[in-house]
Amino acid sequence: MAQSVGIKDVARAAGVSVGTVSNVINRPETVAGETRARVLSAIDRLGYVRSESARQLRAGRSRIMGLLVLDMGNPFFVDVARGAERAARDAGLGVMVCNSAQNAAEEAEYLSLFAEQRVRGVLLTPADATGRNIAAFRRHGIPFVLVDRVAEGTTECSVSVDDVAGGALAVRHLVDAGHRSIAYVSGPPGLNQVRDRRTGALNALAEAGLGPDALRELPTERLDVAAGRDAGARLLGLADRPTAVFCANDLLALGVLQALYAAGVVVPDDLAIVGYDDIEFAAAAAVPLTSVRQPAVTMGALAAELLLEETEAGAEGGAGRHEHRRVVLQPELVVRRSSLAAR
């Protein structure tokens, strides 16, 4: 195994002191031009890369922000990461992106990793419905911001979308199209987003004078295409099949659409579909998918900005002056062909 090149190797190759090499790296203006050129030539020749971890230990601050999401296979979270990365890069920071895979145990492991690495702060979409992972992480004193989840206390910031309003938008659209029996493919019941979207759906039904029995819930263990196909098969097996289906995200909706297509069910004539998130694939589906759009890139960027505000306040000794905020963005219904058939 090749041995890594250290600052002493550079100093020896350039015929200068370790302190001079350090000055060339950190304060180049303090070093004479000829000496600086000799040191830079040695750095290039030897392939020296400074130890960022050592620099962080000396400075007491990391240049890395952690981002832990539920599912990096979901384009929604890719867009959240894009927004966070853009804001972090503007501040001179990098982002370490990790995927809990909707698993509380994996979430705990990654939070421990963030603590070990002493990251500047963490953006977190929680997978653990009990809150134990967050409580354990809070003890490390590392700032964090909840993403796609409303903070319930006053000890952290959050950026989310009004999922109750989003669920209402979806089902109100279906009711206005004449549907009176609607399935809800809901995802894991422990997720707040899933529950809030169901609440919004029930609110829209109540507005139309329909009771909760007008909504047939089909829970799934995950929020992916395979779970959507399974839910679609169950939907097809119902004796009194609803005329429309609202899915807790677009991946579920695309899976349902696949199951219906394979069974010869025509969308939207036989059954209308509405998804949630408005990922890029929604518009490109075989039957373009009506969806509730979440501003995912904006969500990631705002969360990163809140985290940067808090960490800067802490670095300046003003942590007590930082005011935790709950930012709630509004969703938007994007209507496409999957829900347009008249009843």
Side-chain angles (χ1 to χ4, degrees):
M1 181 182 295
Q3 188 173 1
S4 62
V5 176
I7 193 170
K8 291 181 180 179
D9 300 308
V10 174
R12 187 162 45 248
V16 298
S17 69
V18 169
T20 298
V21 177
S22 178
N23 284 336
V24 169
I25 295 170
N26 298 297
R27 297 179 295 280
E29 70 281 358
T30 66
V31 182
E34 182 181 344
T35 302
R36 186 168 66 244
R38 193 162 71 249
V39 170
L40 290 174
S41 176
I43 287 174
D44 183 60
R45 188 168 66 254
L46 296 175
Y48 167 75
V49 178
R50 72 173 175 176
S51 170
E52 179 61 20
S53 60
R55 190 200 68 79
Q56 290 173 191
L57 286 171
R58 290 192 299 271
R61 302 191 78 201
S62 171
R63 294 180 58 247
I64 299 297
M65 177 187 299
L67 171 63
L68 181 55
V69 299
L70 289 177
D71 181 11
M72 279 305 293
N74 186 339
F76 166 75
F77 288 110
V78 174
D79 286 343
V80 169
R82 283 176 49 217
E85 189 273 337
R86 186 181 304 164
R89 187 177 65 242
D90 289 344
L93 302 182
V95 179
M96 180 191 298
V97 181
C98 297
N99 175 29
S100 71
Q102 304 175 44
N103 184 289
E106 292 191 31
E107 176 183 82
E109 291 177 6
Y110 280 123
L111 289 174
S112 293
L113 174 65
F114 289 151
E116 290 170 8
Q117 295 296 318
R118 297 203 285 185
V119 297
R120 179 76 65 92
V122 173
L123 307 177
L124 170 65
T125 304
D128 176 24
T130 69
R132 283 192 292 264
N133 286 344
I134 289 179
F137 184 71
R138 192 178 280 120
R139 293 197 294 267
H140 295 289
I142 298 174
F144 64 93
V145 173
L146 298 181
V147 184
D148 197 29
R149 168 84 171 269
V150 178
E152 296 176 356
T154 58
T155 56
E156 56 266 341
C157 294
S158 66
V159 181
S160 62
V161 166
D162 187 341
D163 283 316
V164 174
L169 281 174
V171 171
R172 190 178 297 121
H173 167 68
L174 292 171
V175 168
D176 288 346
H179 298 282
R180 294 297 180 266
S181 178
I182 300 168
Y184 176 42
V185 178
S186 60
L191 292 178
N192 285 23
Q193 299 93 324
V194 166
R195 294 197 300 268
D196 287 349
R197 291 165 197 177
R198 179 179 183 274
T199 297
L202 292 173
N203 289 348
L205 291 174
E207 289 173 6
L210 299 171
D213 57 344
L215 192 71
R216 303 275 296 277
E217 186 166 1
L218 297 172
T220 65
E221 293 184 358
R222 301 183 63 79
L223 292 163
D224 55 24
V225 173
R229 284 196 296 266
D230 175 73
R234 284 184 280 149
L235 178 63
L236 290 168
L238 294 177
D240 184 17
R241 185 194 305 167
T243 60
V245 56
F246 166 44
C247 298
N249 77 357
D250 286 341
L251 295 183
L252 290 172
L254 292 172
V256 170
L257 183 60
Q258 288 179 7
L260 298 180
Y261 180 82
V265 175
V266 179
V267 175
D269 297 342
D270 297 332
L271 198 148
I273 302 179
V274 176
Y276 205 103
D277 289 340
D278 196 33
I279 62 176
E280 184 177 355
F281 299 131
V287 179
L289 184 66
T290 295
S291 185
V292 178
R293 176 179 293 166
Q294 297 200 81
V297 173
T298 299
M299 192 183 305
L302 286 175
E305 290 167 6
L306 287 175
L307 185 61
L308 289 166
E309 286 179 15
E310 182 172 357
T311 58
E312 289 304 318
E316 296 168 3
R321 293 197 300 272
H322 175 76
E323 181 180 348
H324 292 296
R325 285 183 283 158
R326 300 177 186 175
V327 178
V328 181
L329 304 173
Q330 292 303 307
E332 173 190 358
L333 182 70
V334 180
V335 178
R336 300 188 180 96
R337 192 156 64 87
S338 71
S339 63
L340 284 180
R343 302 302 297 175

